Amino acid sequence: ALHLLGVLLHEKGELSKAIELVKTAVELNPQYAQAHHNLAVMLSQNGQEDQAKEHMRISEALLEAQGAKQNKILTHQEKDFLE
């Protein structure tokens, strides 16, 4: 809910409040790739490039890990289907 509220505030142009909320969302759920991505965009718009790059890196790593996990699940399901 905090992440979504932050996105809505960002859309309304309330960047500082949006960043605070999305940062809190990331602290509460560090595995939330989309929140890291959106935080990176907001931080970049706020001139905080180093922090933005770090959150974008985290987002990409999380998405990659989630994709690998999904691929393992699909591979396992295919194996079960073929047996």
Side-chain angles (χ1 to χ4, degrees):
L2 290 173
H3 171 243
L4 183 55
L5 184 56
V7 170
L8 292 173
L9 287 173
H10 178 244
E11 289 176 5
K12 290 180 66 176
E14 298 183 38
L15 188 55
S16 294
K17 290 180 184 177
I19 289 172
E20 287 179 35
L21 288 174
V22 178
K23 274 186 179 180
T24 301
V26 164
E27 290 169 1
L28 292 172
N29 185 0
Q31 301 301 309
Y32 193 0
Q34 188 63 49
H36 280 283
H37 175 85
N38 289 338
L39 181 56
V41 170
M42 292 175 196
L43 289 168
S44 179
Q45 290 175 348
N46 202 40
Q48 297 171 277
E49 293 300 324
D50 290 341
Q51 290 180 28
K53 287 177 185 177
E54 178 63 15
H55 284 283
M56 190 60 73
R57 185 194 63 73
I58 292 168
S59 173
E60 290 170 355
L62 289 169
L63 289 172
E64 185 176 320
Q66 290 168 4
K69 185 176 181 180
Q70 185 64 30
N71 284 340
K72 283 184 180 180
I73 291 169
L74 291 175
T75 302
H76 183 71
Q77 289 172 342
E78 290 169 358
K79 182 180 173 185
D80 288 346
F81 178 76
L82 293 173
E83 289 179 345

